Amino acid sequence: MTSQAGSGGASTVPDVFDPGGGANLTRVRAYNERLVMSLVRRHGSLSKADIARRSGLSAQTVTVIMRALEKDDLLIRGEPVRGRVGQPSIPMRLNPDAVYSYGVKIGRRSCDLVLMDFVGNIRLQLHQTHAYPMPDDILSFIVEGIPKLEKMLTEEQRERIAGVGIATPFQLWSWAEETGAPREAMNSWRGFDLRDEVAARTHHPVLMQNDATSACGAELIFGVGSSYPDFIYFYIGSFIGGGIVLNSALFSGRTGTAGAVGPLQVSDKNGKPQQLLKIASIFVLENLLREKGIDPKPLWYSADEWIDFGEPLETWIQLTAAALAQAIVSSASIIDFGAAVIDGGFPGWVRQRIVAAIRKAAGDLDLEGVILPDIIEGAVGAQARAIGGASLPLFSRYLIDTNVLFKETA
C-alpha cells in the first residue's frame, strides 16, 4: 500500500547518486551508457546494430560505449550470430556478476534482506519473523544482516555492491488493530526516518520506496512488463497493496499514492461496504486459522512453503477472489488496463487458485460497458517486494526508467 514509514509521504529515491569518488565500476554511469544497458536489459541481448537502431545513437557512439561497458565487465559477449553476408554480429548481454545490490522487504509479520545480482537473481538472503515490526528491531536486522551477508562474499564482490533499497509499507502505524499490534507501540514509527537511520550505520547508499510500488516495479522490470504496457497490480501480503503501470512506466500520481488499492471500497459477503484490505489480505487468513484452532505462524516462515490449510484456506481464497473481482471491474471502468496482475506472499499453487477464482467471480458480475482485462498471475513471486527494493540502486546508478525505453524506435 502506498503509505510511508517515517514522517513524510514521498518516496526517498533520488534521480542519481553522488558518485562520491567511487571506483569506476560503481560510479554513476553517463546517460547514454545507461540507455545502452537498459536496452540490453529489456531485450536480454542486443548487437551493436540493434542498439544503434533502437537508441537513435550513431554506430560509432554505440561502439565506443559498448567497448567501455565491456571493459568495465558490465556487458559480456554472447555467441556470434552469422548472417548470409558480412561479419557475424555479436550480441551483448548484462554481466550478472557485474553489480550487486541489497533489497530489504519490511512486512507486518516478517522481514527479508536479499543480495541481488545485476539481472535480478537473488544470490543470498536472510529472513526473520515478528509479531509486529518495531523500528529498533528492523534497524538491527538490516545493519547486522548486511555484514553477515558480506562475509560470504569475496572482496571483489563487496566492491561491486551498488547500494541498499528498502521496500516498506508507508505509515506502518496504520491499521494496527487488524494485525493485533499495540497502537502505542506502532506509533513509535511516527517520525522515525528508517532510511536515514540505516544510511548512518552502513557505508552503502540507501534508497527507500513503498513496498507494493516496489513489487509492481519488479513485475514491470522482470515479469509481465514486456507483454503488457498497461496493467494494474495487486500484491497480497499481510495487507494487500498494489500499483499502476501506464505506457510501460510506474504511475504514482500527484501525491505518490496512485495504485494504493488497499482502501478500495468493495462489498463483503453480506453486501456491506468494506475496504479491500480488510478482505483480501493474509491477516484475514491468519484470523480464520486462529478461529479454527490452527497455528497461523507457518504462514510467515516461508512464503514458498505453505501447507494446504484446507477449509479455512479455501474460504479465504473465495472471499479474496470475490473482493478482487469487484476491484478489477471498478478499475477497468476507469482505465482500460490490458491486464490485472495478481501476486503475493504465498506459493505458486495458492496464486493459481486465487486467479482461477477471480476469473470465475468476475464472470458473475455485471460487465456491461466494461472491457475486462486479462486476469493473470504475477511472474516474479513472493520476493517481488525485496527484488523491487534491490532494483532501486541499480536504476539509480546504471539504468534508466522504463518509460524512456517505451519510446524506442523498435
Side-chain angles (χ1 to χ4, degrees), residues 150-151 153-161 204:
E150 292 192 356
K151 287 180 180 179
L153 304 176
T154 66
E155 182 178 351
E156 182 181 10
Q157 288 173 321
R158 289 193 291 270
E159 291 175 351
R160 293 173 179 237
I161 296 173
H204 299 299

Side-chain angles (χ1 to χ4, degrees), residues 285 288-289 292 294 308-317 353:
L285 173 59
L288 287 172
L289 293 175
K292 296 292 184 179
I294 301 172
D308 190 336
F309 290 99
E311 184 270 331
L313 176 61
E314 180 60 24
T315 297
W316 176 73
I317 287 174
R353 285 171 61 178

Side-chain angles (χ1 to χ4, degrees), residues 52 72 152 259 287 319:
D72 286 347
M152 305 178 198
N287 292 336
L319 292 172

Side-chain angles (χ1 to χ4, degrees), residues 48 51-53 55-65:
K48 179 177 68 176
I51 292 172
R53 177 169 57 86
S55 67
L57 300 173
S58 70
Q60 182 179 5
T61 299
V62 170
T63 298
V64 171
I65 290 172

